[in-house]
């Protein structure tokens, strides 16, 4: 867990850096639906709403729009709307949503796989299935969260495309590229984006305590690495208080990203 420096300022844990990195995906997003998947992204979305993106819409994970921002696992104190599945799909199809999905595999172009491992005709492992990944990636911003960064996840080519990457969207033409955008990929090692001329994955920041060599060794393809790689933004004291006391007092983030 987190410690305290001699100055009295709380020291952020790796999990808390990941929370802040996920929250940044929704900075300045306006009144859109945030759909985080995973403990750390859920905390990140709630942190964003309580700080720099107060207009974000959040659900209880089912069909209710929350009027307040309760702790993870707690019931909302107020409800501001009902969001049944058909209306949720309408938001997705019209681009008024930013989802942060998981990825069993992701490649250098941002293609994501949550369906199966191995040959599609005879996979060695069956996963969730394609689910809504194609619609998400072609209609609204889609970011990704990977709690265990490894070369088994960050692969040269995904075994099956669930979420559409930049190369496949480009090949499909304007109907696919019009709303396609992958703002960021956050892992337990760093933050990545696709802000390169050929839209391949770039290392944007390292979490403190992570080496560049460690990230490169845990990635199964050639990353674009800038000459100078900054560290991920440190949580403010106010943000740490919100994370620890308001949003996640049970410390669930530390289970997903152990120290």
């Amino acid at each position: 867990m987190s410690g305290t420096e001699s100055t009295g300022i709380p020291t952020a844990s790796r999990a808390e850096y990941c929370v802040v990195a996920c929250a940044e995906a929704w900075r300045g997003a306006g009144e859109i639906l945030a759909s985080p998947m995973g403990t750390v992204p859920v905390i990140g979305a709630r942190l964003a709403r309580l700080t720099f993106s107060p207009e974000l819409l959040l659900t209880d994970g089912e069909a209710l729009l929350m009027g307040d921002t309760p702790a993870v696992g707690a019931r909302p104190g107020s409800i501001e709307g009902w969001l049944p599945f058909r209306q949720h799909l309408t938001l997705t199809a019209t681009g008024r949503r930013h989802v942060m999905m998981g990825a069993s595999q992701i490649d250098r172009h941002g293609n994501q796989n949550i369906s199966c491992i191995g040959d599609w005709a005879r996979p060695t492992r069956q996963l969730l299935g394609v689910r809504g990944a194609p619609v998400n990636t072609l209609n609204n911003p889609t970011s990704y969260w990977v709690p265990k960064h490894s070369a088994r996840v960050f692969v040269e080519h995904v075994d099956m495309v669930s979420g559409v990457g930049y190369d496949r969207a480009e090949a499909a033409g304007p109907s696919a590229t019009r709303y396609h955008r992958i703002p960021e990929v956050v892992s337990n090692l760093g933050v990545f984006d696709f802000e390169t001329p050929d839209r391949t994955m770039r290392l944007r920041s390292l979490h403190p305590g992570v080496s560049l060599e460690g990230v490169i060794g845990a990635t199964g393809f050639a990353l674009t690495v800038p000459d100078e790689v900054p560290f991920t933004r440190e949580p403010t004291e106010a943000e740490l208080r919100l994370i620890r006391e308001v949003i996640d007092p049970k410390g669930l983030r530390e289970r997903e990203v152990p120290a």
Side-chain angles (χ1 to χ4, degrees), residues 109-111 164-171 180-183 194 199:
H109 295 283
N111 295 293
V164 179
Y166 280 100
D167 59 339
R168 288 180 175 267
E170 183 67 28
H180 179 266
R181 186 165 69 91
I182 307 174
F194 299 88
R199 289 297 196 177

Side-chain angles (χ1 to χ4, degrees), residues 1 45 55 90 95 102 107 113 145 166-167 173 188:
M1 290 287 289
E55 295 179 329
T90 299
D107 67 24
N113 176 24
W145 160 242
Y166 280 100
D167 59 339
N188 62 317

Side-chain angles (χ1 to χ4, degrees), residues 49-218:
R49 186 181 189 179
L50 288 172
T51 54
F52 47 73
S53 293
E55 295 179 329
L56 275 184
L57 302 177
L58 296 174
T59 75
D60 65 345
E62 295 185 12
L64 298 176
L65 286 171
M66 301 190 298
D68 58 355
T69 310
V72 176
R75 296 180 62 86
S78 65
I79 302 299
E80 64 179 5
W82 183 47
L83 191 67
F85 194 59
R86 63 181 181 274
Q87 291 182 349
H88 201 133
L89 289 178
T90 299
L91 284 176
T92 301
T94 54
R96 292 177 291 167
R97 178 176 182 247
H98 184 163
V99 58
M100 181 170 284
M101 300 177 66
S104 300
Q105 292 179 328
I106 189 166
D107 67 24
R108 63 195 301 264
H109 295 283
N111 295 293
Q112 170 247 31
N113 176 24
I114 52 172
S115 184
C116 64
I117 302 299
D119 189 335
W120 180 84
R122 194 176 181 84
T124 58
R125 183 174 299 176
Q126 180 66 53
L127 305 175
L128 289 172
V130 172
R131 310 284 288 191
V135 176
N136 287 338
T137 49
L138 295 184
N139 289 280
N140 50 235
T142 302
S143 295
Y144 294 106
W145 160 242
V146 179
K148 295 181 180 179
H149 190 129
S150 77
R152 296 177 63 181
V153 179
F154 288 75
V155 296
E156 185 67 40
H157 301 288
V158 296
D159 291 339
M160 179 177 177
V161 176
S162 302
V164 179
Y166 280 100
D167 59 339
R168 288 180 175 267
E170 183 67 28
S175 62
T177 59
R178 185 178 180 185
Y179 300 114
H180 179 266
R181 186 165 69 91
I182 307 174
E184 66 179 42
V185 177
V186 181
S187 81
N188 62 317
L189 300 185
V191 182
F192 309 83
D193 61 27
F194 299 88
E195 299 302 317
T196 57
D198 60 352
R199 289 297 196 177
T200 54
M201 192 180 293
R202 177 185 73 161
L203 175 60
R204 192 163 82 196
S205 70
L206 291 167
H207 300 327
V210 177
S211 69
L212 175 58
E213 293 74 20
V215 171
I216 292 173

